C-alpha cells in the first residue's frame, strides 16, 4: 500500500471524537469575533491564548468574572460552528519565576508548592468552565507551549511526567470530553533544524528523541501541537535582524519527515499551530511581513504539499502570529480568507474507503 493510504487508515483510529474527517483549518481569533470570522471564511477552528499567570491578579480568570472568559469563548465558537482551542500559557508568567531565562523560571515555578497550588486551582477552574460550556462538542485545551521543550532540555523527565499525569487526571475527572493537546518543540532535542539543516536520517533521529521523551511521560494526550516558527520570516529579518528563518522546499520536506518520525513512534496525531500568516506579496512593514508557509500549504496548485504534510501525520493547521506586529488575518488584505474559503470548498480528507 502507498504511504498516504496507510496514513489515512491509521488516522481513522487516531482522530479524536468529533474531529472533522478532513484536515482541519483554523486561525487565531479574538473573543466576540466568531460570527464575523465565519462570515468571511468558514474555517473549522479558532484559537485564543489564556495567559497572565495564576497568582498575579491579571490572569485569564480575571478577564471576565470568575473565569467566564473561557466559557464565553467556547460558547461563541460552538455557535459559529467552530472548534474552540484555548492555549493555556500560564506557568511562565506566574510568580515568583526565579531565574534568568525562561527555562529556569518555568522549572522554579513547577518546583514551588505555593505556585503550583495556585496553578492547579486555576486549571480546575478552566476545566469546569470549558466542560460546562462545551458539553460533548470537541474543545481543545493546548497545554503550555515551550514548557515541554525546556523540560526535555533540562532532562527533567520525572517532573514532566508528574505534571502531565496530573493534567490528564484532572481533565478526566472534571471535563472528560475536553481534548488535551501536548506541545512538541523540536528544539527540545537541543537542535533546531531551521538552522542546522540536518540530513533526513538525522532528522529521523531527532524525531526518535522527541518521541522517546513523550513516551517517557507515560501519559496519553489526545493531540500533539507543534509550531514551526512563532513569527513571519520577514518579521525576524527586519525587526529582529535574523534573516535565517525562511524555509526552502528542503525545510518543508525535513519538517514532514520529523513529524512522520514522531507520529510513527507515538501513534498520536499532530496539529501545526501558530503558523505565520505572512505571504510573499506583502511589503515587510508593521503587520504585513512576508513569509511563505501559508502559500506552501494553501496556495499550491498541485496539492502535493498539503498531501505530504497530511501523510506525515498532521490533522490540522492553525494559523496566527506569535508576536505583536506580525501579519494577521486582519492585516494581510484578505489573502488568508480567500485561501481558506477555497480550501473549505474541498478540504483534504483524513480517511478513505478502500
Amino acid at each position: 500500500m502507498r504511504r498516504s493510504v496507510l496514513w489515512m487508515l491509521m488516522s481513522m483510529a487516531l482522530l479524536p471524537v468529533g474531529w472533522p474527517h478532513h484536515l482541519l483549518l483554523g486561525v487565531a481569533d479574538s473573543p466576540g469575533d466568531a460570527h464575523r470570522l465565519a462570515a468571511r471564511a468558514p474555517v473549522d477552528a479558532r484559537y485564543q491564548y489564556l495567559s497572565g499567570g495564576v497568582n498575579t491578579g491579571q490572569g485569564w480568570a480575571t478577564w471576565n468574572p470568575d473565569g467566564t472568559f473561557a466559557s464565553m469563548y467556547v460558547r461563541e465558537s460552538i455557535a459559529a460552528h467552530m472548534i474552540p482551542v484555548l492555549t493555556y500559557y500560564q506557568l511562565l508568567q506566574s510568580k515568583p519565576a526565579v531565574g534568568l531565562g525562561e527555562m529556569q523560571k518555568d522549572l522554579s515555578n513547577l518546583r514551588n508548592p505555593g505556585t503550583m497550588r495556585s496553578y492547579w486551582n486555576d486549571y480546575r477552574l478552566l476545566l469546569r468552565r470549558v466542560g460546562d460550556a462545551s458539553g460533548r462538542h470537541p474543545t481543545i485545551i493546548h497545554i503550555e507551549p515551550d514548557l515541554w521543550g525546556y523540560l526535555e532540555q533540562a532532562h527533567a523527565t520525572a517532573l514532566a511526567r508528574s505534571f502531565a499525569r496530573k493534567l490528564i487526571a484532572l481533565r478526566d475527572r472534571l471535563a472528560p470530553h475536553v481534548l488535551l493537546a501536548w506541545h512538541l518543540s523540536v528544539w527540545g532535542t537541543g537542535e533546531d533544524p531551521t538552522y542546522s539543516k540536518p540530513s533526513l536520517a538525522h532528522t529521523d533521529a531527532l524525531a526518535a528523541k522527541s518521541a522517546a521523551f513523550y513516551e517517557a511521560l507515560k501519559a496519553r494526550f489526545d493531540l500533539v501541537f507543534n509550531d514551526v516558527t512563532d513569527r513571519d520570516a520577514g518579521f525576524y529579518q527586519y525587526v529582529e535582524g535574523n534573516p535565517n528563518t525562511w524555509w526552502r522546499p528542503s525545510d518543508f520536506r525535513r519538517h514532514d519527515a520529523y513529524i512522520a518520525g514522531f507520529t510513527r513512534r507515538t501513534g498520536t496525531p499532530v496539529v501545526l499551530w501558530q503558523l505565520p500568516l505572512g505571504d510573499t506579496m506583502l511589503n515587510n512593514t508593521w503587520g504585513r511581513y512576508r513569509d511563505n508557509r501559508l502559500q506552501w500549504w494553501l496556495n499550491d496548485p498541485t496539492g502535493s504539499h498539503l498531501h505530504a504534510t497530511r501523510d506525515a501525520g498532521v490533522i490540522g493547521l492553525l494559523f496566527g502570529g506569535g508576536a505583536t506586529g506580525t501579519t494577521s488575518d486582519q492585516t494581510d488584505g484578505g489573502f488568508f480568507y480567500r485561501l481558506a474559503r477555497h480550501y473549505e470548498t474541498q478540504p483534504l480528507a483524513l480517511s478513505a474507503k478502500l
Side-chain angles (χ1 to χ4, degrees), residues 63-74:
W63 298 348
N64 290 98
D66 199 24
T68 53
F69 178 91
S71 49
M72 291 168 61
Y73 192 87
V74 168

Side-chain angles (χ1 to χ4, degrees), residues 46-263:
R46 62 197 287 254
Y47 76 86
Q48 163 75 37
Y49 270 92
L50 300 181
S51 59
V54 299
N55 54 7
T56 63
Q58 299 177 334
W60 71 272
T62 69
W63 298 348
N64 290 98
D66 199 24
T68 53
F69 178 91
S71 49
M72 291 168 61
Y73 192 87
V74 168
R75 287 193 180 102
E76 71 174 58
S77 301
I78 294 172
H81 309 289
M82 298 178 197
I83 294 175
V85 180
L86 297 168
T87 292
Y88 191 66
Y89 186 66
Q90 283 281 75
L91 191 66
L92 180 63
Q93 296 170 340
S94 300
K95 296 178 180 179
V98 176
L100 295 178
E102 290 188 6
M103 178 191 292
Q104 290 76 21
K105 291 177 180 179
D106 272 337
L107 290 172
S108 75
N109 280 343
L110 272 175
R111 290 168 173 154
N112 185 303
T115 302
M116 293 312 296
R117 278 194 296 271
S118 297
Y119 188 96
W120 293 123
N121 286 336
D122 189 82
Y123 179 64
R124 289 184 187 97
L125 176 62
L126 174 61
L127 290 172
R128 289 195 295 270
R129 291 290 173 262
V130 171
D132 291 345
S134 62
R136 291 180 176 270
H137 189 281
T139 299
I140 302 168
I141 298 176
H142 167 212
I143 301 293
E144 298 289 355
D146 294 346
L147 170 65
W148 306 98
Y150 292 134
L151 286 165
E152 183 181 2
Q153 286 188 338
H155 306 290
T157 305
L159 183 61
R161 182 184 303 124
S162 174
F163 182 60
R165 286 180 167 182
K166 188 159 185 175
L167 288 166
I168 294 172
L170 286 172
R171 186 281 307 272
D172 291 347
R173 190 170 84 234
L174 298 175
H177 300 295
V178 170
L179 303 173
L180 282 190
W182 185 75
H183 193 87
L184 169 65
S185 296
V186 63
W187 50 261
T189 63
E191 181 175 340
D192 188 337
T194 291
Y195 299 101
S196 64
K197 310 297 185 188
S199 67
L200 291 181
H202 185 61
T203 297
D204 190 63
L206 295 177
K209 190 173 181 180
S210 295
F213 177 68
Y214 176 73
E215 291 294 319
L217 302 179
K218 301 185 185 303
R220 183 58 54 181
F221 289 79
D222 303 291
L223 294 160
V224 167
F225 276 32
N226 169 253
D227 55 331
V228 302
T229 184
D230 61 349
R231 290 159 173 76
D232 309 299
F235 185 99
Y236 267 117
Q237 182 171 356
Y238 291 100
V239 177
E240 301 195 5
N242 177 1
N244 301 314
T245 69
W246 285 96
W247 274 17
R248 299 177 182 274
S250 58
D251 294 291
F252 288 97
R253 288 193 292 270
R254 192 177 292 112
H255 185 260
D256 286 340
Y258 171 73
I259 296 298
F262 180 87
T263 58

